[in-house]
Amino acid sequence: MRTGTIGRGLGLATALAALLTGFSVAPASAGRAAPDPAPAAVAAPAAFTHPGVLVSRPQLDFVREKVRAGAQPWKGAYDQMMASKYASLTRTAKPRAVVECGSYSNPNYGCTDEREDAIAAYTLSLAWYITQDSRYATKAVELMDAWSAVIKDHTNSNAPLQTGWAGSSWPRAAEIIKYTYSSWPNAGRFATMLRDVYLPKVINGSNSNGNWELSMTEAAIGISVFLEDRTSYDKAVAKFRGRVPAYIYLTSDGALPKTAPGSGLDTRDKIVNYWQGQSAFMDGLSQETCRDLTHTGYGLSAISHIAETSRIQGQDLYPEIADRLRHALGLHAKYQLGAAVPPSLCGGSLKDNLGPVTEVGFNALHNRMGIAMTNTQTLTEQRRPAGTDNLFVAWETLTHANNPG
């Protein structure tokens, strides 16, 4: 497809969270936005937390307890995952030395295979942790070993995005297996693959549509955690802090949306064109809303994933982006639920579907921070269990529904 620390003290994070919670009296689709809190200095954790990419050990323990108790929605989400092709113990990896992905995955030489093997490795790692059946861990290791033995590069126009998608799923799986399973002799080789093949493609970001850079940044954050690479982690967080305000508009931004550093968007016409021709801006509007909801969902999902990983690592980025994310989720959920689209928004018509992307952000903002999100809550609960987009989002009702970890 084409689109494109412990550094703060707990007191500051708590204060910021409390400030944002003060805006929680209105649904996510209502109210005037507050300015972004001033970002703290970038500082990777002195010691990384493992497993710590998207899901932590306390979160995994919570899920295992709920599934074993037969509690909903987790048991239904688990059953959905285990019935999928990604949990198969007979899966055969399909690695390639060079994965070539053009625009809209045309050509598609290994693109689908790589993304799906990465999702399968993550699925199997979750299955291992929940069941403690070593067959699932062994199969996850087999898939990761197959790719780390072969892949050398990603090429063609969609190479950065493809690397971002697959590179978001691989570290989730690797973190769970390395830190909760007893045997992975080739873990070092897998780390070398992430360092040499994936990280260089994603760490410098992209000036394409915002979901590109956000997905690439998600991969860079996850890889940095697995590699315990503090320099790359800091660089990726800096990219994130520049991109999120340029992806989600708040009225406090002024007459025009903010622009990402280095974007070259220095005139109104350029900015409006980059925002898919939309010239009327409202709280929660995404740079890709008027393109379609699917690509918007990719961006919002990556934002949630990055913030979730940062929280696990002790540098909670949610307070910095909470107002933007809650408005964006609420605005898009409102129309996904069937509200009439006004003529001032994308000419009165929105395309496609957000996908299974609301659980992580909703759990963080509503359940942990106490922000009311009426539209997002309705959409999230209606669509449970959230499955997979077959790209980089998978099983988030299972991992994040009402999860306090």
Side-chain angles (χ1 to χ4, degrees), residues 27 45 52 129 134 194 258 274 309 339 403:
Y129 198 90
S134 63
L194 293 180
K258 294 185 178 183
Y274 185 60
T309 295
N403 195 324

Side-chain angles (χ1 to χ4, degrees), residues 151-221:
I151 190 167
K152 301 298 181 186
D153 200 9
H154 297 86
T155 63
N156 213 316
S157 60
N158 257 33
L161 183 59
Q162 172 72 18
T163 309
W165 282 341
S168 294
S169 297
W170 286 129
R172 298 176 202 160
E175 281 280 300
I176 295 172
I177 295 300
K178 182 176 180 180
Y179 293 99
T180 73
Y181 184 58
S182 59
S183 178
W184 186 12
N186 290 316
R189 188 178 74 195
F190 189 83
T192 298
M193 175 193 81
L194 293 180
R195 181 182 296 109
D196 294 349
V197 179
Y198 288 81
L199 190 58
K201 277 285 196 298
V202 297
I203 192 61
N204 293 317
S206 166
N207 285 322
S208 186
N209 283 301
N211 83 85
W212 273 54
E213 183 160 272
L214 289 163
S215 292
M216 293 163 67
T217 301
E218 180 185 347
I221 289 277

Side-chain angles (χ1 to χ4, degrees), residues 209-367:
N209 283 301
N211 83 85
W212 273 54
E213 183 160 272
L214 289 163
S215 292
M216 293 163 67
T217 301
E218 180 185 347
I221 289 277
I223 290 168
S224 297
V225 170
F226 186 72
L227 298 179
E228 299 194 328
D229 183 339
R230 301 179 80 250
T231 300
S232 294
Y233 182 95
D234 284 351
K235 185 171 183 177
V237 169
K239 284 285 181 186
F240 178 76
R241 284 175 160 148
R243 174 57 69 174
V244 174
Y247 194 68
I248 301 170
Y249 175 81
L250 291 179
T251 55
S252 56
D253 294 338
L256 291 171
K258 294 185 178 183
T259 59
S263 68
L265 300 174
D266 53 6
T267 69
R268 177 182 175 83
D269 286 348
K270 288 180 181 179
I271 293 172
V272 169
N273 182 63
Y274 185 60
W275 282 66
Q276 321 299 323
Q278 178 73 7
S279 58
F281 303 100
M282 63 210 69
D283 283 334
L285 185 73
S286 157
Q287 181 256 319
E288 295 185 274
T289 301
C290 295
R291 181 186 185 183
D292 59 64
L293 293 179
T294 300
H295 287 89
T296 299
Y298 299 162
L300 300 183
S301 182
I303 290 170
S304 301
H305 293 167
I306 293 164
E308 189 73 1
T309 295
S310 78
R311 185 191 64 82
I312 293 167
Q313 296 305 322
Q315 178 206 28
D316 193 351
L317 294 172
Y318 276 119
E320 294 179 27
I321 56 94
D323 211 36
R324 291 186 190 274
L325 183 58
R326 66 107 169 178
H327 274 297
L329 289 171
L331 177 73
H332 295 89
K334 173 182 176 179
Y335 296 115
Q336 194 76 88
L337 288 166
V341 182
S344 59
L345 176 59
C346 309
S349 177
L350 294 173
K351 301 176 186 176
D352 299 340
N353 190 294
L354 273 180
V357 303
T358 62
E359 288 278 15
V360 176
F362 174 69
N363 185 54
L365 302 183
H366 177 70
N367 294 328

Side-chain angles (χ1 to χ4, degrees), residues 46-201:
F48 286 94
T49 297
H50 304 290
V53 176
L54 188 60
V55 289
S56 65
R57 189 183 293 269
Q59 287 175 299
L60 291 167
D61 287 342
F62 173 88
V63 172
R64 182 165 63 193
E65 178 184 340
K66 292 297 185 182
V67 170
R68 288 182 172 179
Q72 300 297 351
W74 305 274
K75 181 58 165 61
Y78 169 78
D79 290 343
Q80 174 196 45
M81 181 184 80
M82 297 304 287
S84 76
K85 63 183 178 181
Y86 297 113
S88 172
L89 290 170
T90 61
R91 185 180 190 88
T92 300
K94 297 179 180 178
R96 284 177 176 257
V98 178
V99 174
E100 182 180 354
C101 307
S103 178
Y104 293 93
S105 292
N106 183 23
N108 182 341
Y109 299 136
C111 314
T112 301
D113 292 338
E114 180 189 31
R115 295 193 304 262
E116 294 194 349
D117 278 348
I119 291 174
Y122 175 53
T123 302
L124 291 157
S125 72
L126 290 172
W128 143 249
Y129 198 90
I130 293 168
T131 66
Q132 295 293 287
D133 184 336
S134 63
R135 293 177 302 164
Y136 293 107
T138 299
K139 178 58 72 169
V141 167
E142 178 187 311
L143 297 179
M144 291 188 285
D145 283 355
W147 279 90
S148 68
V150 172
I151 190 167
K152 301 298 181 186
D153 200 9
H154 297 86
T155 63
N156 213 316
S157 60
N158 257 33
L161 183 59
Q162 172 72 18
T163 309
W165 282 341
S168 294
S169 297
W170 286 129
R172 298 176 202 160
E175 281 280 300
I176 295 172
I177 295 300
K178 182 176 180 180
Y179 293 99
T180 73
Y181 184 58
S182 59
S183 178
W184 186 12
N186 290 316
R189 188 178 74 195
F190 189 83
T192 298
M193 175 193 81
L194 293 180
R195 181 182 296 109
D196 294 349
V197 179
Y198 288 81
L199 190 58
K201 277 285 196 298

